[in-house]
Amino acid sequence: MKTIIIPFLFLSIVLSAQTTFTDRSYFYGRDYFILRSGRAKMIIQADKADVGPAFSYLLFDSQETSQTSSKGKAFNYVPDKGFSSSALEVSMKKFPFTALGHNTTTRWVVENGVPGVEAIWWASGIKVREVITPVSLNGVFRRSITLESANLAGEDTVSLRLKLFAPATYAKNNVLIYENKNVSVSLSVAGNYPLKISSLKESFEIGPISVKPGEK
């Protein structure tokens, strides 16, 4: 009977270790990219090791310089969970994929004259391209997601999940807003795609979206 307990103990150890590795300032193959939009500072973390989502971000107030001394002080950091909520999930046949270090490349790019950060990774036969750019001086960032069925054998469907780090205090249509005494963070989705808000009001699910071989 004792062997039944082992998988649960192992899972607990893995999750604890994962947060520890992602929280380190320096780690093998880890890069940082910094974007500004007004007072909002976004620090994007890109990993080459599979210690958690390979493309995620932390949100800070650029006028509070001491805040960036620790990842745990980021607005979107959650104790015991870190900031993994900022990672995109792409689901196929209800199996979720996220960017992993061994299949993700990141770099600086310029989109419409604005510097941004690009990540390219794979969700089974789907090539995923994310680009994050600041779009104003009012704390707004755009995350553009392109799906390319580069290696699909036949037509399939995909869904995307984007999350806040906590349940929204306001949720309606295509907008989620979380507020406390220190910050207001909102997440919205553009485009006419099937969209639903989770029952806990902390994430959007976009889709299902039908994709055919060779389609983008």
Side-chain angles (χ1 to χ4, degrees):
M1 294 297 292
K2 291 183 179 179
T3 56
I4 297 175
I5 302 174
I6 291 174
F8 296 96
L9 292 174
F10 180 72
L11 178 60
S12 176
I13 293 169
V14 169
L15 290 175
S16 176
Q18 184 182 88
T19 304
T20 300
F21 289 134
T22 55
D23 282 5
R24 290 183 180 178
S25 297
Y26 301 99
F27 197 76
Y28 173 76
R30 176 165 293 165
D31 285 324
Y32 294 101
F33 303 85
I34 300 176
L35 298 175
R36 280 279 304 275
S37 177
R39 287 183 61 171
K41 176 190 287 188
M42 176 184 286
I43 298 181
I44 295 174
Q45 180 169 301
D47 277 321
K48 284 296 183 183
D50 291 333
V51 295
F55 192 68
S56 54
Y57 60 79
L58 298 127
L59 297 173
F60 298 94
D61 181 350
S62 63
Q63 294 186 9
E64 296 291 337
T65 55
S66 63
Q67 189 188 17
T68 55
S69 64
S70 170
K71 294 179 182 180
K73 294 180 180 180
F75 293 124
N76 62 322
Y77 186 94
V78 179
D80 299 324
K81 294 183 179 179
F83 47 99
S84 60
S85 61
S86 61
L88 167 68
E89 288 184 6
V90 177
S91 295
M92 298 181 66
K93 296 181 174 66
K94 298 185 179 181
F95 185 88
F97 295 86
T98 192
L100 295 176
H102 71 273
N103 74 355
T104 301
T105 60
T106 53
R107 61 170 184 158
W108 285 105
V109 294
V110 176
E111 297 275 307
N112 299 316
V114 180
V117 183
E118 173 193 77
I120 295 178
W121 52 280
W122 288 84
S124 187
I126 300 290
K127 184 179 181 181
V128 182
R129 180 178 185 259
E130 300 181 61
V131 178
I132 300 179
T133 55
V135 295
S136 74
L137 297 178
N138 298 316
V140 180
F141 299 91
R142 175 187 289 120
R143 185 180 203 163
S144 300
I145 302 165
T146 303
L147 305 178
E148 182 181 353
S149 53
N151 198 22
L152 281 184
E155 185 173 351
D156 211 328
T157 58
V158 299
S159 296
L160 311 179
R161 186 179 298 275
L162 295 167
K163 300 177 183 177
L164 277 178
F165 53 93
T169 50
Y170 174 85
K172 187 176 182 181
N173 299 329
N174 66 334
V175 177
L176 296 173
I177 300 175
Y178 169 81
E179 290 184 315
N180 62 28
K181 63 180 181 180
N182 298 314
V183 69
S184 174
V185 179
S186 65
L187 183 67
S188 63
V189 178
N192 296 318
Y193 298 102
L195 179 69
K196 64 180 180 181
I197 297 173
S198 68
S199 58
L200 297 178
K201 298 182 180 180
E202 89 291 7
S203 67
F204 288 118
E205 183 173 312
I206 307 166
I209 301 171
S210 177
V211 290
K212 300 176 181 178
E215 190 174 37
K216 181 183 291 187

